[in-house]
Structures are given as C-alpha cells and as structure tokens.
Amino acid sequence: MESTDKLTDTNAVLAYLYETFPSCFIAEGETKPLKIGLFQDLAERLADDSKVSKTQLRVALRRYTSSWRYLKGVKAGVQRIDLDGQDCGELEQEHIDHAQQTLKEGQEKAKAKRQAQAAKANPKKPARKAPSAKAAPVKKDRPAKAKKPAEPKVNYVPAKFDELKQKQRVSVKLGQNPVAGVITDIKKEDVHVQLDSGLVVKVRAEHILLS
C-alpha cells in the first residue's frame, strides 16, 4: 500500500479509511462504536503506508468519533468492533452516558449558533415606542356665577279704575310676571302705560296691579 501521495486533508483521510476498512469505518448511515485502543491497531496496519501520517490518522479518528452520527450509535446493547468489523465487547454505561452528554451539548451549541446567525442576518427592527398618551388638558374650574340676590316678593292688589291717575307707577299683567311702568294717559276705560322698557301699552284697569 505504498504511495507517494501524502494525504493532508482530514476529509481525504476519512475517505481513505472508509475505502480501506469498510467493515469498521462506515461512510453513511448508522455507525458502530469502535474498539478501545483502535488507534494503535490502525497505526500498525498502516505503518508501511506513506499516504497517511499518525498525526492525520489521529485527527481523522477524533473527527469520526465526535460526529453526531457516531455518538448516536453509542447506546446500550451495542458491541464495539475492531478494524475488521468483529465484535469485541459491549459498551460500558459510563461511555454511553458520556457520548449522549457530548451529543446533547453539541446539538445545543449548534442550535445557538444557528439562532445567532439568523438574528445577525435578519436584525429585528427596534420596537416602536408606543405613543405616549397625552395628558388630558386640565379643565379649569370656572368661577361660579354669583347668584343674583332674590328679589323681594311683592304683594300686588288689583287696581280700581277710579284710583288710577297719570304719572302713577303701576304694574301691568303681561304673561306670568307683572311688568312695571308709569301711566301716561287715561281715556275712558283704556289706560296707557309706558313700561320701564320704553314700550307703551294700552290695557284695561283689570290688568293693572298696585303694590
């Protein structure tokens, strides 16, 4: 198996192992746990092969046994195998636990890395600040209007025609409230009264009140 073409790439060394020891190194699908001390057997088998160095073999072997595919195959009830694919002893529980823990940690790291890359590729836009609610204008209390003092209640009495005379202050019944005014003229049964508003009205005596 002598060759002058030295393999320096780890993937190329792995491909060489898949080809040279197909019963031990499985290129695709489920793998089997390797014999403890397999590296020594591998170094002896390839001692005269200048194609790979011990350093490259060690690196390739480490990559193979740390892959998720390999770690998933390290489970209870499975036999370890040698370079020829022969069984050489069951796995110990501590080796199974270590493999499963290593697999779990590796998957978690890979997941965190993917999330970090996704966040970097698609940075989230800063959340918009909610518009601050404007404080409702404080309504200033308007000063309470001063209540007008209650007008003194006036007791009116119906006027008699013969008691009326010019320039006499009287009140005239117009609507609900009497309206004050001054008699300006008296003609027969009609009495002319100029109201305080300036309006002159002609009324009968029965519509005039005296206070």
Side-chain angles (χ1 to χ4, degrees):
M1 291 191 297
E2 292 188 4
S3 173
T4 57
D5 296 329
K6 197 83 170 178
L7 297 177
T8 56
D9 181 71
T10 303
N11 289 329
V13 175
L14 280 171
Y16 180 65
L17 294 177
Y18 295 148
E19 180 182 355
T20 309
F21 306 101
S23 298
C24 179
F25 295 98
I26 302 171
E28 296 180 359
E30 187 174 346
T31 64
K32 290 185 178 182
L34 301 181
K35 170 189 172 182
I36 295 176
L38 185 80
F39 173 73
Q40 190 60 38
D41 295 345
L42 191 60
E44 290 177 1
R45 288 276 192 102
L46 299 177
D48 297 328
D49 192 340
S50 60
K51 196 162 189 166
V52 291
S53 66
K54 285 187 177 181
T55 301
Q56 288 297 329
L57 285 175
R58 197 183 300 277
V59 173
L61 193 60
R62 187 180 300 119
R63 178 178 294 185
Y64 183 81
T65 55
S66 62
S67 68
W68 292 2
R69 189 165 62 99
Y70 180 86
L71 293 172
K72 288 177 181 178
V74 180
K75 51 192 176 183
V78 177
Q79 293 276 337
R80 289 183 180 274
I81 59 173
D82 60 17
L83 287 175
D84 300 316
Q86 300 298 316
D87 293 343
C88 54
E90 287 190 10
L91 290 164
E92 294 183 14
Q93 187 60 46
E94 61 179 313
H95 296 160
I96 296 173
D97 294 341
H98 177 72
Q100 297 309 308
Q101 182 63 28
T102 303
L103 175 63
K104 181 180 178 182
E105 292 175 357
Q107 290 175 332
E108 289 176 350
K109 286 182 181 179
K111 182 179 179 182
K113 185 176 181 180
R114 287 195 302 271
Q115 290 176 341
Q117 290 175 340
K120 188 176 181 180
N122 300 302
K124 292 183 179 179
K125 294 182 180 179
R128 293 184 180 180
K129 292 184 179 179
S132 56
K134 293 184 179 179
V138 179
K139 293 183 179 180
K140 295 182 179 180
D141 296 332
R142 294 182 180 178
K145 292 183 180 179
K147 293 184 179 179
K148 293 182 180 179
E151 295 182 358
K153 189 174 181 181
V154 180
N155 294 321
Y156 295 100
V157 294
K160 295 181 180 179
F161 184 78
D162 54 4
E163 296 177 347
L164 301 175
K165 56 187 177 182
Q166 290 186 0
K167 296 185 181 181
Q168 182 183 2
R169 284 198 66 80
V170 295
S171 294
V172 181
K173 291 192 291 184
L174 296 175
Q176 295 181 350
N177 300 317
V179 181
V182 178
I183 296 175
T184 58
D185 196 8
I186 300 175
K187 292 182 180 180
K188 297 183 181 181
E189 296 180 353
D190 297 328
V191 180
H192 296 256
V193 181
Q194 183 176 4
L195 304 179
D196 289 350
S197 63
L199 180 66
V200 177
V201 295
K202 182 172 67 173
V203 295
R204 295 294 182 97
E206 60 262 30
H207 294 293
I208 297 177
L209 301 174
L210 300 176
S211 57

